[in-house]
Amino acid sequence: MQGSLRLGLTGGIGSGKSTAAAYFQACGAHLIDTDAIARQLAAPGGAAIDALRAAFGDAAISPDGGLDRAYMRALAFANDAARLQLQTILHPRISALAAEQARAATCDFPGRALVFDVPLLVESQHWRTRVNKIVVVDCDVQTQIARVQSRSQWSEAAIQAVIGQQATRVQRLGAADAVIFNQNNTLQQLHLEVQELARRWAIGGPNVDASSTGFSR
């Protein structure tokens, strides 16, 4: 394979994907986090704020000048047109910034593996053509709900709404080159599975040791 490995990492809400992403980073990969890019775009002064305000009005902007995420989430779940408009505003900008970060990483660290953390990777033909391999972090729906509730004030109905708008487990598993079943894994077990994939695909090097890192789901 020519050039750096480009790994697409995905999974449903509450699957443990973000923790796996951090472990890949600790193993020596360069992480490009599309959720973090989205938050940057919608933060106070972010590059998407003017377009978001024009599309959804002042009610969608919080007092600090950033996107009111709770308001926007409720609107997007209730209104398909609003959700598509939000995606039309954010997705091209996310893609452009992710590509910019990838180019910079490739220039600064030639040969270093790139891990793209993309929640909607399977739903997007665009993203699937930009990576060499896809890793899916998987668990059942009840585990997803329990994990999200443990870290947030979301209702089960709100979590189910998010799950309903994401690819199904079957769709994600069908797109995977590798699957991390994170149903009952401890953080150590999840870490070991990531390390095994990093070893198999030569991510990082012999002097990289992430065994001391610790993360929460």
Side-chain angles (χ1 to χ4, degrees), residues 24-58:
F24 274 113
Q25 187 176 30
C27 286
H30 182 87
L31 177 62
I32 298 172
D33 183 342
T34 60
D35 268 347
I37 292 172
R39 290 192 294 272
Q40 173 189 338
L41 288 167
I49 285 296
D50 288 346
L52 291 167
R53 187 190 301 273
F56 302 109
D58 290 339

Side-chain angles (χ1 to χ4, degrees), residues 2-211:
Q2 299 279 328
S4 302
L5 173 66
R6 299 167 71 91
L7 180 68
L9 179 67
T10 195
I13 186 173
S15 64
K17 172 183 61 62
S18 295
T19 303
Y23 287 148
F24 274 113
Q25 187 176 30
C27 286
H30 182 87
L31 177 62
I32 298 172
D33 183 342
T34 60
D35 268 347
I37 292 172
R39 290 192 294 272
Q40 173 189 338
L41 288 167
I49 285 296
D50 288 346
L52 291 167
R53 187 190 301 273
F56 302 109
D58 290 339
I61 307 301
S62 62
D64 68 359
L67 181 68
D68 186 326
R69 297 175 68 86
Y71 175 91
M72 198 68 249
R73 185 166 54 244
L75 179 61
F77 290 156
N79 187 316
D80 287 345
R83 183 175 71 255
L84 290 173
Q85 191 170 19
L86 177 66
Q87 293 172 349
T88 298
I89 292 169
L90 290 181
H91 286 190
R93 291 172 169 85
I94 292 170
S95 179
L97 285 176
E100 182 180 314
Q101 290 183 16
R103 284 192 297 270
T106 301
C107 179
D108 292 342
F109 305 100
R112 186 177 181 182
L114 304 176
V115 172
F116 295 84
D117 180 347
V118 185
L120 301 181
L121 187 149
V122 172
E123 295 87 332
S124 167
Q125 288 298 321
H126 165 74
W127 275 108
R128 291 174 69 174
T129 63
R130 294 178 66 176
V131 299
N132 306 118
K133 294 183 182 293
I134 295 174
V135 175
V136 171
V137 184
D138 180 62
C139 64
D140 68 27
V141 170
Q142 289 307 311
T143 300
Q144 291 180 263
I145 293 169
R147 285 177 180 161
V148 176
Q149 286 184 322
S150 73
R151 71 190 189 206
S152 73
Q153 301 299 313
W154 288 24
S155 67
E156 181 170 343
I159 301 167
Q160 287 278 19
V162 173
I163 292 171
Q165 291 181 359
Q166 295 182 329
T168 66
R169 289 182 74 190
V170 170
Q171 289 170 329
R172 280 194 294 266
L173 294 175
D177 293 291
V179 178
I180 297 174
F181 290 104
N182 192 35
Q183 181 70 35
N184 298 307
N185 279 0
T186 64
L187 290 174
Q188 182 180 17
Q189 289 168 330
L190 176 59
H191 190 182
L192 288 173
E193 290 203 43
V194 169
Q195 285 183 312
E196 172 57 24
L197 285 176
R199 183 201 62 77
R200 186 192 312 171
W201 291 335
I203 295 172
N207 297 321
V208 176
D209 179 8
S211 60

